[in-house]
Amino acid sequence: TMAELGEADEAELQRLVAAEQQKAQFTAQVHHFMELCWDKCVEKPGNRLDSRTENCLSSCVDRFIDTTLAITSRFAQIVQKGAQ
């Protein structure tokens, strides 16, 4: 019936909005994390990064990727539960 279709559409719309909010939050996190890594690792910007700065940035970003994967995995579990 039309009422059921409306509810299904509304639920789908809510899922899409939640996904967009998650993307926006993720983008903000990336921006914030890059600033943190930069502030933590780069003492004085120059034409080239020395090896210490490069290693610092690399491990900082690696930690970020690990954290992001854990969050993404958890979010996927929540979305799956919501879809059932």
Side-chain angles (χ1 to χ4, degrees), residues 14-41:
Q14 285 177 336
R15 272 199 294 279
L16 288 172
V17 168
E20 285 302 315
Q21 287 173 332
Q22 185 70 20
K23 275 198 271 185
Q25 194 175 7
F26 177 75
T27 301
Q29 283 177 333
V30 169
H31 184 75
H32 177 66
F33 202 86
M34 293 314 291
E35 282 185 349
L36 287 177
C37 287
W38 183 266
D39 291 344
K40 178 181 188 290
C41 298

Side-chain angles (χ1 to χ4, degrees), residues 1 9 11 30 34 47 51 60 65 69 71 75 79 82:
T1 65
D9 287 345
V30 169
M34 293 314 291
N47 293 340
S51 62
C60 190
I65 291 170
L69 288 174
I71 291 169
F75 180 68
V79 169

